[in-house]
Amino acid sequence: MPAKPFASSADLAEKRQTLEILADGVYALTAEGDPNIGAVEGEDFLVCFEALATPTAAREWLAVLREHTDKPVRYLVLSHYHAVRVLGASAFGADVIIAHDKTRELVAERGRQDWESEFARMPRLAKDAGSVPGLTWPTLTFSDRATIHLGGDRGTLELRHLGRGHTEGDLVAWLPRERILFAGDLVEAEAALYTGDAFHREWAGPTLDGVAALGAQTLVGGRGAVTRGRAAVDAAIEQTRHFLRVMLHEVGAVHGRGGTLKEAFEAAHAALAGQYGHWPIFEHCLPFDVSRLWDELSGVERPVIWTAERDRAVWDQLQD
């Protein structure tokens, strides 16, 4: 049997983008399982959520947004540090780039390695990779929550850190009046979870509990379609939790009996593939997911830095 192509290196087909207007001045762009991105209008400014992988890709998003509003970007909010979410930041010309305290620390600690890793794993997303001027550095960070007053009668946008999950520094953007939540990669709507830098038990427990407690009526996850309605939002959150719990159960069982990482990967794949295997990037993510969870179960508190070389070594070990 031929070897599986590395990560998403063979996924080169363009995805159809869909702009959705979720409420007056609230926008989301989805793209068939590619990273989602959004924007919220203030009275005389914009708040953009996520930045895509390159300035060239970001400018394409901004051209779509400019068909609806010409307000300047005052704030660019980054949900976490991963390269495909942040390296397009220079295209926005934002006055302020906001992230969690830990996100800034992670950019300093492993931003360069993550850049090289993610662009090798997902070359299609790295559109015009040479347009990236360098690492993206937040200019304003916080530890718990921050509030952006949108002006006029537009209410507020609340930025919250609900706990460790997809990374150490995930944050969500919450519009309490409209009950719209931009959840970043803490929730995926029918797209596979990437957990290579995760804290699985906290994510599956108190962090997702915090997401659910907001009571969103509309949720924009990190990938996948916009989820509408309380029941559908709850289902997306619980689907994310179920994926994590299956991984914890299967990998934990192999780890507990003294098995191997390869056995843990095979057990997790067998348990998840029937329900989730058709989702975008499932095959890409799972080797890295299992490797991180194995480390976590072995007492490795913080994720080991992913480099392009380590990516290949883990892939080859688990996919042969």
Side-chain angles (χ1 to χ4, degrees), residues 232-253:
V233 169
D234 285 343
I237 294 168
E238 291 312 308
Q239 183 175 263
T240 300
R241 196 193 307 268
H242 181 258
F243 191 106
L244 292 165
R245 284 180 171 169
V246 171
M247 283 187 58
L248 282 160
H249 179 268
E250 297 296 333
V251 177

Side-chain angles (χ1 to χ4, degrees), residues 77-79 97-104 138-148 158-162 169-173:
V77 178
L78 304 176
S79 69
I97 300 175
I98 305 177
H100 189 265
D101 293 339
K102 282 293 183 183
T103 291
R104 196 182 200 289
T139 59
L140 175 65
T141 66
F142 65 93
S143 61
D144 182 28
R145 67 172 62 188
T147 300
I148 296 173
E158 299 178 6
L159 308 179
R160 300 193 186 188
H161 174 63
L162 299 173
D170 299 287
L171 61 82
V172 302

